[in-house]
Amino acid sequence: MRILVTGGSGFIGSRVVAELLTAGHEVRVLDRRLPDASGRARPPWTDVDFRHADVADGSAVASALSGVDLVCHQAAMVGRGQEILDAPAFAHSNDLGTGVLVAAMTRTGPERLVLASSVVLYGDCRYSCPEHGRVRPLRRAAADLDAGRFEPRCPSCALELVASAVEEDDLPDPPRNVYAVTKLAQELLVSAWARETGGVAVALRYHNVYGPAMPYDSPYSGVAAVFRTAVEQGVPARVYEDGLPRRDFVHVRDVAAANVAALSWEEPGFHPFNIASGEPRGIHELALALSRAGGGPAPTVTGEYRIGDVRHIFASPAKAARELGWRAAVDFRTGIEEFAAAPMRPPAG
């Protein structure tokens, strides 16, 4: 199969390219970032057709689609960034780029798309109250966070709620930051494309991806990169709240394998899948594991918070296991020990 990978020079995209090549596919990459972090124009792959262009460039996209059987759309600006100040850049990279891509696919094909989506669409986990059953909590108030009351509470009785995993049929949460807005818009654009054209669209909702060659600490890095950078610098990682917010950390090799598994899906329409380890961890647990594996100082639990953050977010990967035959293979301890020693890359410019 000939596959176009947008964003194939990035942290996740480059690993996807490697897995596709291993699986015997012919790969073409479209990316505005040169694939070699040293800045050399020559890509590191000798058997990849590399196109240096922005996914929002309609003519470049149309050319890159020629003869392609499937698009693996990894190109995106990720993370929280500088919040609303970065709105134009997020909208350009994530939404304009996706719009240009699906418009070009509608004109010339192909009819199959795998989208790199995100768990951020869900907002919070599912929550249940001991008295009132499943409820949707109010967003946490600054006064509660200032007082160290971090757990969401029942809007009816104020009891602390119990978190559980979300599934693909849970409704998206009203987005809490610019990144979440643009990822939701990506899914809506791709869903509209699949509905109007009869195309096949698989959305892989990545959880907190980590692993070798992850970018160093930057406004757009995930918490794993932030903590890993602290370990390398020999300073304590700063852990927000009480260190107990839970996330699901999934290794980049597993994410790449999920993209290969998604190639087998042929049913028309829009189909989302959670790509997660299925074993959520506290953020302090992650920071402590990295500091121990990397020989760094113990993390500091600061009590600080960001008002837009959710307390817990993790999801069930059961649908991906059942329908794609995909399961995470890298366990937390093995993955963290490798990550703590592996080289990282400069943040994307």
Side-chain angles (χ1 to χ4, degrees):
M1 186 182 298
R2 180 179 294 168
I3 300 171
L4 172 64
V5 181
T6 69
S9 297
F11 163 53
I12 297 174
S14 60
R15 180 65 68 170
V16 171
V17 169
E19 289 292 321
L20 291 172
L21 291 172
T22 299
H25 298 288
E26 183 179 344
V27 179
R28 178 178 296 156
V29 168
L30 177 75
D31 202 316
R32 67 184 181 188
R33 176 185 171 127
L34 296 173
D36 189 331
S38 70
R40 294 194 301 268
R42 181 178 298 278
W45 316 287
T46 58
D47 46 1
V48 168
D49 176 8
F50 178 75
R51 310 289 180 91
H52 186 209
D54 193 320
V55 73
D57 181 339
S59 61
V61 169
S63 175
L65 288 172
S66 177
V68 165
D69 301 303
L70 179 145
V71 175
C72 188
H73 185 30
Q74 305 291 321
M77 186 173 177
V78 300
R80 288 285 296 272
Q82 304 288 347
E83 300 300 344
I84 202 67
L85 294 176
D86 276 334
F90 275 106
H92 175 92
S93 295
N94 299 357
D95 300 337
L96 177 60
T98 301
V100 168
L101 176 65
V102 296
M105 291 176 66
T106 303
R107 295 187 189 99
T108 64
E111 298 178 349
R112 300 180 63 193
L113 173 68
V114 176
L115 171 69
S117 188
S118 174
V119 67
V120 73
L121 301 184
Y122 296 115
D124 275 300
C125 277
R126 290 180 177 180
Y127 286 102
S128 59
C129 170
E131 295 292 331
H132 297 96
R134 188 173 175 185
V135 299
R136 181 175 286 250
L138 299 175
R139 296 195 177 183
R140 298 183 296 171
D144 286 333
L145 297 171
D146 286 337
R149 295 188 292 269
F150 298 119
E151 292 293 342
R153 295 178 178 270
C154 177
S156 299
C157 67
L159 287 175
E160 284 192 6
L161 300 176
V162 177
S164 60
V166 293
E167 298 182 2
E168 288 84 353
D169 58 357
D170 282 290
L171 293 175
D173 188 63
R176 299 169 186 240
N177 55 64
V178 172
Y179 173 63
V181 169
T182 62
K183 295 306 287 185
L184 177 58
Q186 274 192 310
E187 280 208 5
L188 294 174
L189 284 165
V190 168
S191 179
W193 168 80
R195 183 174 60 252
E196 293 182 16
T197 66
V200 177
V202 173
L204 303 179
R205 292 174 176 169
Y206 300 162
H207 284 50
N208 292 66
V209 186
Y210 74 97
M214 193 174 189
Y216 279 103
D217 185 8
S218 80
Y220 313 102
S221 296
V223 66
V226 173
F227 293 163
R228 168 67 174 76
T229 302
V231 170
E232 183 163 314
Q233 294 175 344
V235 299
R238 296 179 62 81
V239 180
Y240 281 11
E241 300 187 17
D242 54 0
L244 300 180
R246 282 178 287 167
R247 303 290 188 266
D248 190 303
F249 300 98
V250 58
H251 197 279
V252 67
R253 286 200 299 273
D254 285 326
V255 171
N259 279 269
V260 175
L263 302 182
S264 65
W265 188 270
E266 297 181 345
E267 183 180 336
F270 177 79
H271 305 275
F273 295 92
N274 293 324
I275 303 303
S277 74
E279 299 181 355
R281 307 276 178 167
I283 59 170
H284 182 261
E285 182 181 2
L286 171 70
L288 187 60
L290 278 170
S291 68
R292 288 173 173 170
T300 300
V301 178
T302 67
E304 298 170 334
Y305 63 85
R306 297 191 301 185
I307 194 64
D309 282 354
V310 299
R311 178 62 171 176
H312 308 294
I313 179 57
F314 50 91
S316 169
K319 181 183 175 184
R322 185 174 63 250
E323 299 187 18
L324 297 180
W326 174 88
R327 292 174 177 82
V330 181
D331 67 89
F332 181 76
R333 179 177 177 178
T334 300
I336 292 301
E337 288 179 351
E338 177 193 31
F339 181 45
M344 301 180 76
R345 68 162 67 184

